[in-house]
Amino acid sequence: MNKDLLTLRDLSQKEISRIISRAIDLKGGVDGSACPLIGRSIGLLFEKPSTRTRVSFEVGIYQLGGQAVWMSPQELQLGRGETIADTAMTLSRYLGGIVIRTSSHERVTEFARAASIPVVNGLSDLHHPCQALADIMTMQERKGRTRGLKVAFIGDGNNVCNSLIEAAACMEFHLTIACPEGFEPDADILAAAHAGSQSEIVVLRDPKEAAGMADVIYTDVWVSMGQEGQADSKKNKFRGYQINKELLACAKKDATVLHCLPAHRGEEITDDVIDSPQSAVFDQAENRLHAQKALLEMIIR
Ligand code: CP
Ligand code: NVA
């Protein structure tokens, strides 16, 4: 059976721990010459822009000995009305696996249902599981553990936040989310996380309350890709949710700052915070490469 990564829940705690430990080894140069993807081609079908996800997958696939085949819908018959399912069935005859970035999560699941190769979600409106793997790895690096950590997510209850909720439930860290009313994370994802874990996962309004004594403080853009039409009204509602020196002072003295990037400096995070020694955001970006290589080693057969 195929091993897909459509949401972080497709991986068990044991599998995530294995990926993170392997990623840390790969980053440290252990067994860096292993090329499990020799002779294999991995597709990258991206319907939205990307810097980190695209380049880290392309480079990672090359480092594992494989070939990355990048595709945008405009260049495929998909852009002229060929169905997702027919595209998935066709590409499955050529590729060893595929990474998809698209708008609706339903498109990712539809593709995976029709595909006979492993499908990795490279971001949908609901989930960003590859980001969550790098987030877990970065917390492990900076704090030496994930279990029992107090993590605060300040901002929009979006795809990155939803996958962080699944990470909290699986890796047993506590997560407090502060967001304005109407911008809560997905209710079903939250309910499933509450049902399946001992971690405290709380949604509240006050950013200072969420940041209080946190080990890790995390944010993402207020206006995600595809939401440009709501930019002005969202920015107004999120004004009090910026990670700045004052908010960071509520967290533990040695709190780590995370951001999945791209950042809108001066909006959800200030320069002095993102560029401070407490910020791990570029390690977090680098860790996308290592974590995804470890993931591909596990799922591509
Ligand atoms: N964090 C992240 O997924 O970045 P990109 O949009 O640049 O891929
Ligand atoms: N929430 C952001 C994440 C970008 C990596 C978006 O969907 O645009």
Short mmCIF file of all heavy atoms in Angstrom, two decimals, residues 46 49-54 101 122-123 128 131 225 260-262 288, ligand 1:
data_model
loop_
_atom_site.label_atom_id
_atom_site.label_comp_id
_atom_site.label_asym_id
_atom_site.label_seq_id
_atom_site.Cartn_x
_atom_site.Cartn_y
_atom_site.Cartn_z
N PHE A 46 2.84 22.12 -8.61
CA PHE A 46 2.61 23.29 -7.78
C PHE A 46 1.65 24.25 -8.45
O PHE A 46 1.95 24.82 -9.49
CB PHE A 46 3.95 24.00 -7.48
CG PHE A 46 4.71 23.37 -6.33
CD1 PHE A 46 4.87 22.00 -6.23
CD2 PHE A 46 5.27 24.17 -5.33
CE1 PHE A 46 5.55 21.42 -5.17
CE2 PHE A 46 5.96 23.60 -4.26
CZ PHE A 46 6.10 22.23 -4.17
N PRO A 49 2.62 29.65 -5.68
CA PRO A 49 4.05 29.96 -5.58
C PRO A 49 4.71 29.25 -4.40
O PRO A 49 4.03 28.85 -3.45
CB PRO A 49 4.09 31.47 -5.35
CG PRO A 49 2.75 31.98 -5.68
CD PRO A 49 1.79 30.85 -5.50
N SER A 50 6.01 29.11 -4.46
CA SER A 50 6.77 28.49 -3.36
C SER A 50 8.25 28.79 -3.51
O SER A 50 8.77 28.76 -4.62
CB SER A 50 6.56 26.97 -3.39
OG SER A 50 7.45 26.35 -2.49
N THR A 51 8.90 29.09 -2.42
CA THR A 51 10.36 29.19 -2.41
C THR A 51 10.93 27.96 -1.70
O THR A 51 11.66 27.15 -2.28
CB THR A 51 10.81 30.48 -1.70
OG1 THR A 51 10.29 31.59 -2.44
CG2 THR A 51 12.33 30.59 -1.63
N ARG A 52 10.60 27.82 -0.41
CA ARG A 52 11.19 26.75 0.41
C ARG A 52 10.77 25.35 -0.03
O ARG A 52 11.62 24.47 -0.19
CB ARG A 52 10.81 26.96 1.90
CG ARG A 52 11.63 28.02 2.59
CD ARG A 52 10.78 28.81 3.55
NE ARG A 52 9.90 29.67 2.80
CZ ARG A 52 10.22 30.93 2.40
NH1 ARG A 52 11.34 31.46 2.78
NH2 ARG A 52 9.39 31.65 1.66
N THR A 53 9.46 25.15 -0.18
CA THR A 53 8.98 23.79 -0.44
C THR A 53 9.53 23.28 -1.77
O THR A 53 10.07 22.18 -1.86
CB THR A 53 7.44 23.77 -0.42
OG1 THR A 53 7.01 24.40 0.78
CG2 THR A 53 6.91 22.35 -0.48
N ARG A 54 9.41 24.12 -2.78
CA ARG A 54 9.87 23.70 -4.11
C ARG A 54 11.37 23.43 -4.11
O ARG A 54 11.83 22.36 -4.55
CB ARG A 54 9.55 24.77 -5.15
CG ARG A 54 10.12 24.40 -6.50
CD ARG A 54 9.89 25.42 -7.57
NE ARG A 54 10.60 24.99 -8.77
CZ ARG A 54 10.52 25.61 -9.92
NH1 ARG A 54 9.77 26.67 -10.06
NH2 ARG A 54 11.22 25.17 -10.96
N ARG A 101 1.14 20.99 -4.33
CA ARG A 101 0.72 22.21 -3.62
C ARG A 101 -0.47 22.78 -4.37
O ARG A 101 -0.37 23.09 -5.56
CB ARG A 101 1.86 23.22 -3.56
CG ARG A 101 1.41 24.59 -3.10
CD ARG A 101 2.52 25.54 -2.78
NE ARG A 101 3.19 25.18 -1.55
CZ ARG A 101 3.92 26.03 -0.81
NH1 ARG A 101 4.06 27.29 -1.19
NH2 ARG A 101 4.50 25.64 0.29
N GLY A 122 2.17 19.30 -0.32
CA GLY A 122 3.16 20.38 -0.17
C GLY A 122 2.52 21.70 0.23
O GLY A 122 3.15 22.74 0.08
N LEU A 123 1.33 21.67 0.71
CA LEU A 123 0.50 22.78 1.24
C LEU A 123 -0.86 22.79 0.54
O LEU A 123 -0.94 22.74 -0.69
CB LEU A 123 1.15 24.17 1.07
CG LEU A 123 0.37 25.40 1.59
CD1 LEU A 123 1.32 26.46 2.16
CD2 LEU A 123 -0.47 26.02 0.48
N HIS A 128 -0.37 21.79 6.18
CA HIS A 128 0.99 21.94 5.66
C HIS A 128 1.90 20.96 6.44
O HIS A 128 2.73 21.36 7.25
CB HIS A 128 1.46 23.39 5.82
CG HIS A 128 2.63 23.77 4.96
ND1 HIS A 128 3.28 22.87 4.12
CD2 HIS A 128 3.30 24.95 4.82
CE1 HIS A 128 4.27 23.50 3.50
NE2 HIS A 128 4.31 24.74 3.90
N GLN A 131 5.76 21.25 6.54
CA GLN A 131 6.21 22.33 7.42
C GLN A 131 6.24 21.84 8.86
O GLN A 131 7.19 22.10 9.61
CB GLN A 131 5.24 23.53 7.28
CG GLN A 131 5.62 24.71 8.13
CD GLN A 131 6.96 25.32 7.71
OE1 GLN A 131 7.15 25.65 6.56
NE2 GLN A 131 7.89 25.45 8.65
N MET A 225 -1.75 32.79 0.91
CA MET A 225 -1.88 32.78 -0.55
C MET A 225 -3.34 32.52 -0.92
O MET A 225 -3.97 31.61 -0.37
CB MET A 225 -0.99 31.69 -1.16
CG MET A 225 0.48 31.99 -1.05
SD MET A 225 1.49 30.70 -1.80
CE MET A 225 1.58 29.50 -0.47
N CYS A 260 7.12 30.03 9.69
CA CYS A 260 7.31 29.11 8.56
C CYS A 260 7.91 29.82 7.35
O CYS A 260 8.47 29.16 6.48
CB CYS A 260 5.98 28.46 8.20
SG CYS A 260 4.73 29.68 7.75
N LEU A 261 7.77 31.16 7.29
CA LEU A 261 8.21 31.98 6.16
C LEU A 261 7.37 31.63 4.90
O LEU A 261 6.98 30.49 4.78
CB LEU A 261 9.71 31.80 5.86
CG LEU A 261 10.66 32.13 7.03
CD1 LEU A 261 12.12 31.84 6.60
CD2 LEU A 261 10.54 33.59 7.46
N PRO A 262 7.14 32.54 3.99
CA PRO A 262 7.70 33.89 3.97
C PRO A 262 7.08 34.78 5.05
O PRO A 262 5.89 34.62 5.36
CB PRO A 262 7.30 34.40 2.57
CG PRO A 262 6.03 33.67 2.25
CD PRO A 262 6.20 32.32 2.86
N ARG A 288 13.53 22.03 6.50
CA ARG A 288 12.61 21.50 5.50
C ARG A 288 13.33 20.47 4.62
O ARG A 288 12.81 19.41 4.29
CB ARG A 288 12.06 22.63 4.61
CG ARG A 288 11.24 23.70 5.32
CD ARG A 288 9.90 23.16 5.77
NE ARG A 288 9.15 22.56 4.69
CZ ARG A 288 8.36 23.22 3.84
NH1 ARG A 288 8.17 24.51 3.99
NH2 ARG A 288 7.70 22.58 2.87
N1 CP B 1 7.07 27.66 4.39
C1 CP B 1 6.82 27.41 3.09
O1 CP B 1 6.13 26.46 2.75
O2 CP B 1 7.43 28.27 2.23
P1 CP B 1 7.18 28.36 0.66
O3 CP B 1 5.80 28.88 0.44
O4 CP B 1 8.24 29.29 0.18
O5 CP B 1 7.33 26.98 0.08
#
